[in-house]
Amino acid sequence: MSPETLIEDITGLLEVWVAGWAGCRGYQTSTEGRFPAALRSDTSGEWEYFAADPTDQEFAELAAKTAEAAPRVLTILTNDIPRYTALAARHGLNVTSGSQTMMIVDMETQDAEDPWLSDDDLSLTTSTHHGVHYAEVKSGEALAASGRVFVVGETAVFDKIITEPAFQRRGLGSFIMRALAAQAFEHDVQTGLLLASIDGQKLYSHLGWSTVSRVLMLSASHDGSDLSLS
């Protein structure tokens, strides 16, 4: 599917992203109504439900499932944040993150060549396990930056793009994205997808990515933690 086609079908876009994100993390997936869900086995051990601009009735049903256990999460893709914030309050859910965005790129615009490190103190390692492509940059034994990508059909879903605090502002985020893109090009990919934090949005925009939708994360928990960080 081309990026343009995916953007027109936001629910289809969400399904592809969930499949790739769950693939990156080894999560079991399911469906709830017409929307996807994933079991966050490595963190909460509970389900996260996803929906793109659900109807009021669909939201009510998903909110009820989410409220059955405090660690459960309901993640909404929408550009109408006020509507779903109000619906969340009506159904007893709290906003735990509203800063992320879903971003997309035409992979033909991305560098297909294996990148090289200009700093001799840094080294790149790439690997593939259970279909997940990994990239790590180390300084000696210390991890400097890392990320992973999983291919679903013709879409590369990028996840956990992290630069450690001591190594930030050295271009390693861009380097990891290029290293992962080079691995993704082992497949016939047309599109890239990811969820981006505020800091990540600046990096990905610089690399040619575009925002498709805002992301609202909701739960019945009252501990105030930002679930987008897990």
Side-chain angles (χ1 to χ4, degrees):
M1 242 187 284
S2 69
E4 292 78 12
T5 302
L6 281 169
I7 291 172
E8 290 172 2
D9 177 15
I10 191 69
T11 297
L13 180 71
L14 176 61
E15 290 172 351
V16 171
W17 176 81
V18 170
W21 173 76
C24 277
R25 301 188 180 205
Y27 291 162
Q28 173 188 343
T29 59
S30 183
T31 56
E32 190 66 37
R34 65 186 180 96
F35 295 116
L39 183 61
R40 300 193 66 148
S41 53
D42 61 340
T43 54
S44 66
E46 269 293 352
W47 288 94
E48 180 169 355
Y49 305 106
F50 301 88
D53 287 318
T55 65
D56 286 10
Q57 181 59 36
E58 287 173 330
F59 185 94
E61 292 170 359
L62 290 167
K65 291 290 292 186
T66 304
E68 289 176 3
R72 289 186 180 178
V73 181
L74 174 56
T75 295
I76 303 292
L77 262 65
T78 184
N79 287 312
D80 189 352
I81 296 296
R83 175 188 175 190
Y84 290 102
T85 300
L87 279 172
R90 191 182 308 165
H91 292 281
L93 298 183
N94 305 300
V95 175
T96 62
S97 172
S99 61
Q100 289 184 297
T101 61
M102 175 80 77
M103 301 188 76
I104 193 169
V105 75
D106 183 341
M107 289 297 289
E108 289 187 359
T109 67
Q110 301 300 288
D111 191 348
E113 300 296 323
D114 286 323
W116 58 277
L117 285 161
S118 57
D119 190 332
D120 291 338
D121 293 334
L122 300 175
S123 61
L124 169 67
T125 301
T126 61
S127 61
T128 304
H129 187 62
H130 293 313
V132 185
H133 298 283
Y134 298 89
E136 287 187 347
V137 173
K138 287 188 174 182
S139 175
E141 295 299 314
L143 183 64
S146 59
R148 59 187 72 175
V149 63
F150 188 89
V151 175
V152 180
E154 296 178 337
T155 301
V157 179
F158 295 76
D159 186 40
K160 285 187 173 289
I161 312 301
I162 298 170
T163 301
E164 300 301 325
F167 297 93
Q168 291 177 356
R169 302 190 182 282
R170 295 171 62 176
L172 292 182
S174 296
F175 179 88
I176 285 290
M177 289 297 290
R178 291 197 301 274
L180 292 171
Q183 294 182 80
F185 279 119
E186 296 173 9
H187 310 265
D188 184 17
V189 293
Q190 292 187 9
T191 306
L193 277 179
L194 52 72
L195 249 59
S197 65
I198 291 177
D199 289 339
Q201 289 160 34
K202 299 173 185 176
L203 166 65
Y204 307 130
S205 294
H206 177 72
L207 296 177
W209 291 66
S210 301
T211 295
V212 180
S213 175
R214 298 276 302 276
V215 178
L216 193 63
M217 299 182 74
L218 311 167
S219 82
S221 172
H222 293 276
D223 66 9
S225 61
D226 186 346
L227 298 176
S228 69
L229 303 177
S230 60

